[in-house]
Amino acid sequence: MSLPSKQQGLELKTLAVENARRSEAGDALAPLRGDSLNALEAAVFPDRKTEQWKYTSLHPLTDGHLRTAADGALPEPLPNLAAHRLVMSNGRLQENLSQLPEGVTLHRRAGQRDELLTPFALYNGAALTDAITLEVAANTEVSAPLHLLLHAASDTPAHCQTRVEVLLNPGSKLTLIEHYIGQGPVLNNAVTVIEARDNASLTHYRLQSEREDTLHISTLLFRQTGVSRIDSYQLMGGNRLRRNDVRALLEKSGAELNMQGVFVARGQSHIDNQLCVEHRVPHCTSNQVFKGLAGEKGKAILNGRIHIHEGAMGTLAELSNKNLLLSPGAEIYTKPELEIYNDDVKCAHGATVGQLDAAQQFYLQSRGIALAEAKRMLSLGFVNELILALPDESVARWVQPWLAGELSQYPGANEEAA
C-alpha cells in the first residue's frame, strides 16, 4: 500500500489540528499544548514523497482514528513486572493502580518540546489531556525497577495521547520498564522523553506487545546532558501500523549510550524503526545492535543514522543490524547511515538480510522435529544472544513466552523452507 497523497496528508493534519483544539487540559499542560499546536499548524504531515516514510503507509489512519478519543477498559489481570508500577490507560494516569518507589517523585505535567520534531510528537503535545513527569532525586539509587504500564484500547477506530517524561538528577540510578499493551483499532500516539544528568545511570526497557489490530506511533527521546550512561533494550512486535522514532542526543563529553533491540513482524503486521544518534560534543560513545525477523507477509524496517557533529572529535560509534526472513513473502528494509563532520572519529556500521539455513532445517527435521518447530528453534537461536544479555530477571522471564508466541503464532504458514 502506498503512502497517502499530499491531499490525504493535509486531511490528516487538519484532523490532528482540529482534535488538538478540542482537547481540554489543566493549567500545567496549557503552555506545552499552545506551543505544540503552533508548531503542528506549521508542520508537514508525511506523504508518499517523504523519504523517512518511504516504506510506511498512513492509510490506516484514514479509517477515522483521529476523530475519537479511546475509552476502552483495562484488561484483567494487569501484567506486573516489578514491585512498583505506574499505570496509564488511554493516556490518563490511573492513580489507584500506581505506586512509586522511594526516591522518585511524580508531577502531572510535561514541558519538553524543543527537540521533538516529528508531526506526531507535535500532535501529542497539542492534544494532551494528561501527562506525567518522573523525577529521580539526586544521588539516589532506586533499588527496584519501576514498571510503567501504558495501555490503550477501543472497540472502534480511536486514538489516545500518551506522554511520559523522566528526569535523572546528578548521581541517580534507575531501572525503568516502559511496557505498552493494547487491543482493538486504537492508535496510541506516544512520546517518552528521558534526560540524564551528570553521573546518572539508566537501564531502560521498551516492551511493545499490543495486539495485531492496534496502531502505535511513538517518539522516544534520550537527552544526555551530563556525563551519564544509558542502556536501552527494545523488544517490539509488529501490528497494523507501528512506527518508532528513536532519537538520542549526546550533549556532554563522556556520555555513553548502548541500545539493543529485537523486532518481529509476522502475519500482515508492520514495524518501522527510525533511529538517530547525534554526537554533538567530543569524546562520547554509542553502540547499537538490533536484530529483526519477518515472516508470512510481515514488513519490517530499520533506518539507523549516526550523526557526528562538527567538533565532536574522539567519537566512538557503532551500529549493527542483522535480519532474518522467515518466509518468501516477508519484507525487510534496512539502511545504516553515517553523517560525519570530523576526521578524528572511529565509526562502523553494518547490515545484513538473510534466510534460515536450509541445511540446518534439514538436520533438525532428520532428528524428528517438524519444520515449523525447526524454524522456530533457529529463529530463537538467531536472537538468543541479545535475549540472554537482558540484566533484569523479570523482563527476561517475560520475554521468553512473548518471543515464543511471536514466532509460533502462525505455525502452519509457509511450511516450505525459507
Side-chain angles (χ1 to χ4, degrees), residues 89-108:
S89 180
N90 299 319
R92 295 181 179 273
L93 178 66
Q94 307 297 299
E95 295 184 80
N96 61 319
L97 299 173
S98 300
Q99 181 186 23
L100 282 173
E102 187 176 350
V104 180
T105 304
L106 184 147
H107 309 279
R108 301 289 285 274

Side-chain angles (χ1 to χ4, degrees), residues 180 187-188 208 210 215-218 239 241-244:
Y180 291 91
L187 165 66
N188 192 347
Q208 296 182 324
E210 297 106 320
L215 298 85
H216 182 108
I217 298 176
S218 67
N239 55 5
L241 167 63
R242 183 181 301 285
R243 167 82 174 200
N244 294 309

Side-chain angles (χ1 to χ4, degrees), residues 272-352:
D272 183 350
N273 299 293
Q274 299 287 319
L275 315 176
C276 179
V277 176
E278 297 195 30
H279 287 260
R280 293 183 168 180
V281 296
H283 304 296
C284 292
T285 301
S286 68
N287 184 43
Q288 304 173 71
V289 180
F290 284 82
K291 290 191 175 184
L293 299 144
E296 292 74 57
K297 299 294 183 181
K299 180 188 288 188
I301 302 101
L302 187 139
N303 191 94
R305 178 171 175 257
I306 299 173
H307 182 191
I308 314 298
H309 289 245
E310 186 175 354
M313 69 283 293
T315 292
L316 300 176
E318 295 185 359
L319 166 66
S320 171
N321 176 219
K322 297 180 180 179
N323 303 281
L324 199 59
L325 289 166
L326 307 179
S327 309
E331 299 176 64
I332 293 179
Y333 302 91
T334 178
K335 185 175 72 168
E337 300 178 19
L338 290 177
E339 186 174 348
I340 303 173
Y341 297 96
N342 271 282
D343 294 329
D344 183 19
V345 299
K346 184 178 180 180
C347 300
H349 65 76
T352 62

